Amino acid sequence: MGSLHKATFVLLMLCMSALGRAEYLKYKDPKQPVGARVKDLLGRMTLTEKIGQMTQIERINATAEVISKYFIGSVLSSGGSPPFPRASAKDWASMVDEMQKAALSTRLGIPMIYGIDAVHGHNNVYKATIFPHNVGLGATRDPMLVKRIGEATALEVRATGIPYVFAPCIAVCRDPRWGRCYESYSEDPYVVRSMTTIISGLQGDVPSGSEGRPYVGGSKKVAACAKHYVGDGGTFMGINEGNTIIDNHGMMTIHMPAYYNSIIRGVSTIMVSFNSWNGTKMHANHYLITDFLKNKLKFRGLVISDWQGIDKITTPPHLNYSYSIEAGVGAGIDMIMVPFAYTEFIDGLTSQVEKNIIPMSRIDDAVYRILRVKFTMGLFENPYADRSLAGELGKQEHRELAREAVRKSLVLLKNGKSASTPLLPLPKKAGKILVAGSHADNLGNQCGGWTIEWQGDTSNDKTVGTTILSAIKSTVDPNTQVVFSENPDSAAVGSSKYDYAIVVVGEPPYAESFGDNLNLTIPTPGPVVIQTICKRIKCVVVLISGRPLVVEPYVSAMDALVAAWLPGTEGQGVTDVLFGNYGFSGKLARTWFKSVDQLPMNVGDKHYDPLFPFGFGLTTEAKN
């Protein structure tokens, strides 16, 4: 063979060899360090693909066509947004996998990340374990219990194919008039800080030496989200999304500390708050998002907006959307929650980058952070649901854990008309007992907002659990007659010979601004039921609420008073303590005011004059 032919042949063989061997893509190699993978992938991306990664849309819009056409980086379920009512773990996983398939079909095959509010268990999902809301968990003073709740929640979320949760809320609620106060562990920043253990439960424990970097420890853990950054619990008069009027020292010592702990624990994402700080919207606050959080605290995860959060930079919302995009992305938000108007956002941001209004360096910072989280959590290697986890949803061990959390969260505020005559624990053996009140046999009331529906529900059929009434019936002696009357009249109460009564009253479910409340009274007919019964029979009042309520006018009539907060699906945890299987141990993580005229009033204030102080809680011994 001539030398020319030989050279041609060698060249041909080299070409065939190259064609037969796929191009080496560093970003697809799990052996490469995360930083190298991110840089390699980022270098291959077009502006369209980058902006797609910064876009999070609502499930209802996330068709395969939309995901692949716009290179959508993330999808979410808003509160109460299942594939269909009573969807199973398998149904959820199938829906998420279909969306993932569309994301992986794109040119670079970047997986999308699905996020959901799992704020007290996997609360959007039928048959999930619903744990007590944070207001109750703060009263347990038990960070390890809260970590275990994070572990259980991660498993239930992964059972449905979802790898990312918008939790925990680490707000420091300084005014119970705020409709989200039940999402806060305490008015005290130190208690809230201690409860950031839930992040380690959700994500796994950060390896030694990696503190401060986003971390998700495998396919049975989920990426967490510390929210809402920052000062959401300190607004004027507790108005949701309002203005937090506080100096820099106050912001840093009250509202910021839990974020330090969250970052050390490797929290993957931080959500920006709707509130303003001294008149400046947080979604437009470059100093706190970029200068402080990213540059000073060295947060390396991604910063996400709240629901239509950039729209609300203007008043009214969406007044000047072009400005909202510029201000929000310019402030340092990396992923934008644009549930519906995503094309308007994508077009607007693209135009601003092309016109050099937003520099490419800002886009690259955002996408770098998003990809770092996706690589860190193993989404490129394991993009699909693990169907073997389906049995984790609502499993018995998780329900037992929730029951433990309920009994540890209950705070005993009064026990007996005098200290020498305690009413609790109640005898299981009695002739006849009365159970009354709007919340005694109502699972929806017991669980509160953010349960199946965004605003919660007032029925027993939206999910599976144990009401307090059914727990009482299964706890007392079989020969004890249990009479239930939601709102009995005085004649019926007076003429029947009851040994004692359990009155369960409280707030209806609510979420966010719908819960803002300037009077904080027990809703009717609660006060009438208390007075009708407690004047005639020995009674314990169990208050189901997301915060302290006005009880001073009625306390003297009661023999015992229990703050049960929003206990969730496991009503048996309430009866465990009422009947003495376990002792009361919960301590107030919030000040219990006498009158709303005192608000805001927090522990350490000069004129501190509570009905029950922060840290108060009577104890009882378990009966053998």
Side-chain angles (χ1 to χ4, degrees):
M1 188 185 288
S3 58
L4 183 64
H5 286 96
K6 195 179 280 182
T8 308
F9 177 76
V10 170
L11 192 62
L12 186 65
M13 292 305 290
L14 284 169
C15 288
M16 287 172 73
S17 168
L19 285 169
R21 190 178 69 241
E23 182 197 355
Y24 172 68
L25 301 171
K26 190 183 274 189
Y27 78 89
K28 289 197 170 179
D29 182 354
K31 293 189 181 73
Q32 290 288 341
V34 167
R37 296 178 78 183
V38 174
K39 279 183 189 134
D40 179 63
L41 179 51
L42 194 61
R44 298 170 188 272
M45 293 172 75
T46 64
L47 177 62
T48 307
E49 288 164 333
K50 288 175 181 178
I51 288 174
Q53 282 301 302
M54 295 173 68
T55 308
Q56 184 182 65
I57 67 173
E58 217 284 332
R59 172 199 66 79
I60 205 162
N61 298 312
T63 62
E65 184 188 19
V66 167
I67 290 169
S68 55
K69 180 180 177 183
Y70 295 103
F71 306 100
I72 297 297
S74 186
V75 179
L76 84 150
S77 274
S78 55
S81 179
F84 49 84
R86 299 195 171 193
S88 67
K90 186 183 167 196
D91 297 325
W92 278 90
S94 297
M95 175 191 74
V96 176
D97 279 354
E98 279 304 305
M99 294 176 189
Q100 192 64 280
K101 207 177 289 177
L104 296 174
S105 74
T106 55
R107 183 178 76 92
L108 294 168
I110 304 172
M112 67 89 194
I113 183 171
Y114 197 105
I116 196 162
D117 287 283
V119 294
H120 62 141
H122 199 7
N123 53 263
N124 282 295
V125 178
Y126 181 64
K127 288 188 175 176
T129 309
I130 305 296
F131 292 91
H133 269 298
N134 290 354
V135 65
L137 296 181
T140 69
R141 297 296 203 283
D142 190 340
M144 287 304 106
L145 171 70
V146 169
K147 183 181 180 183
R148 284 157 57 211
I149 289 171
E151 290 168 351
T153 301
L155 286 168
E156 298 212 9
V157 172
R158 281 289 193 171
T160 57
I162 296 171
Y164 175 31
V165 299
F166 306 125
C169 177
I170 52 170
V172 181
C173 173
R174 304 290 284 177
D175 192 325
R177 292 174 292 187
W178 183 39
R180 303 194 79 153
C181 201
Y182 65 77
E183 295 184 58
S184 165
Y185 293 107
S186 179
E187 70 189 40
D188 181 340
Y190 296 100
V191 174
V192 178
R193 280 179 83 164
S194 74
M195 296 301 174
T196 57
T197 48
I198 193 168
I199 293 167
S200 302
L202 291 164
Q203 297 193 153
D205 289 306
V206 177
S208 180
S210 296
E211 293 85 355
R213 295 196 186 99
Y215 176 75
V216 180
S219 57
K220 291 182 180 176
K221 298 294 182 182
V222 293
C225 178
K227 66 183 190 183
H228 305 86
Y229 185 83
V230 58
D232 50 341
T235 59
F236 176 67
M237 293 180 75
I239 295 164
N240 191 43
E241 304 183 16
N243 189 20
T244 301
I245 305 163
I246 195 168
D247 63 16
N248 191 69
H249 176 74
M251 179 63 93
M252 293 300 161
T253 55
I254 295 171
H255 299 286
M256 194 65 79
Y259 286 94
Y260 308 148
N261 292 59
S262 300
I263 292 166
I264 291 164
R265 289 185 182 279
V267 74
S268 296
T269 77
I270 289 177
M271 185 183 289
V272 181
S273 182
F274 286 128
N275 71 283
S276 302
W277 179 31
N278 297 331
T280 301
K281 292 275 187 183
M282 272 306 310
H283 274 75
N285 195 316
H286 185 277
Y287 163 68
L288 279 179
I289 297 171
T290 296
D291 300 339
F292 192 78
L293 179 63
K294 289 183 172 181
N295 296 342
K296 186 159 190 191
L297 298 188
K298 301 280 190 283
F299 174 61
R300 294 184 180 90
L302 73 90
V303 177
I304 187 168
S305 84
D306 206 334
W307 178 271
Q308 297 176 329
I310 63 167
D311 301 51
K312 295 184 180 185
I313 289 171
T314 59
T315 307
H318 211 84
L319 180 68
N320 181 345
Y321 196 56
S322 177
Y323 169 72
S324 289
I325 293 170
E326 182 185 348
V329 176
I333 302 173
D334 304 312
M335 185 177 278
I336 318 293
M337 203 183 282
V338 276
F340 308 117
Y342 55 92
T343 55
E344 185 186 8
F345 167 72
I346 289 167
D347 292 346
L349 182 54
T350 304
S351 167
Q352 291 188 18
V353 176
E354 287 170 346
K355 291 174 182 168
N356 293 321
I357 296 167
I358 291 178
M360 197 57 154
S361 58
R362 173 72 276 272
I363 302 300
D364 286 346
D365 170 55
V367 179
Y368 194 102
R369 288 165 176 277
I370 292 163
L371 295 177
R372 173 155 51 198
V373 168
K374 289 184 177 184
F375 279 117
T376 300
M377 62 193 293
L379 213 47
F380 282 77
E381 285 67 61
N382 297 296
Y384 292 116
D386 179 350
R387 302 302 174 107
S388 73
L389 296 175
E392 297 290 338
L393 187 74
K395 80 173 181 182
Q396 192 55 38
E397 291 94 322
H398 297 165
R399 295 195 177 277
E400 292 296 333
L401 174 62
R403 182 173 171 176
E404 178 188 345
V406 173
R407 58 179 180 253
K408 287 181 173 176
S409 69
L410 302 180
V411 181
L412 181 57
L413 298 173
K414 181 179 181 181
N415 190 16
K417 291 272 169 75
S418 71
S420 59
T421 56
L423 178 66
L424 302 179
L426 297 168
K428 293 175 187 173
K429 221 177 180 127
K432 186 162 64 163
I433 65 173
L434 174 64
V435 181
S438 52
H439 289 53
D441 192 30
N442 193 304
L443 195 61
N445 282 345
Q446 203 171 291
C447 291
W450 290 110
T451 308
I452 308 299
E453 308 284 347
W454 172 41
Q455 291 295 322
D457 181 77
T458 55
S459 72
N460 282 335
D461 60 358
K462 282 291 168 79
T463 194
V464 175
T466 305
T467 68
I468 293 168
L469 175 66
S470 54
I472 291 166
K473 287 178 174 175
S474 67
T475 302
V476 295
D477 186 88
N479 297 318
T480 298
Q481 187 185 349
V482 179
V483 176
F484 173 60
S485 175
E486 198 169 302
N487 187 5
D489 61 38
S490 52
V493 173
S495 62
S496 299
K497 290 190 173 163
Y498 292 107
D499 291 79
Y500 57 83
I502 301 170
V503 181
V504 192
V505 293
E507 295 185 296
Y510 53 81
E512 299 192 43
S513 302
F514 293 91
D516 286 359
N517 184 333
L518 295 179
N519 63 48
L520 296 181
T521 52
I522 299 172
T524 53
V528 173
V529 176
I530 291 169
Q531 286 167 317
T532 299
I533 295 171
C534 294
K535 280 178 182 172
R536 293 168 178 84
I537 314 170
K538 280 192 293 187
C539 78
V540 53
V541 173
V542 178
L543 189 64
I544 305 287
S545 67
R547 52 202 160 187
L549 298 177
V550 175
V551 295
E552 193 183 31
Y554 326 114
V555 171
S556 60
M558 305 170 189
D559 291 277
L561 172 60
V562 176
W565 316 111
L566 297 169
T569 49
E570 307 313 303
Q572 201 82 49
V574 176
T575 54
D576 278 345
V577 189
L578 284 182
F579 291 95
N581 291 357
Y582 295 83
F584 278 91
S585 59
K587 303 293 178 193
L588 287 181
R590 306 210 51 79
T591 296
W592 205 295
F593 55 88
K594 293 174 180 172
S595 147
V596 288
D597 299 336
Q598 296 175 294
L599 299 176
M601 176 175 63
N602 294 283
V603 64
D605 289 356
K606 275 182 188 162
H607 304 292
Y608 192 66
D609 182 28
L611 182 61
F612 302 108
F614 174 89
F616 181 79
L618 302 172
T619 56
T620 58
E621 294 296 318
K623 281 202 298 193
N624 295 328

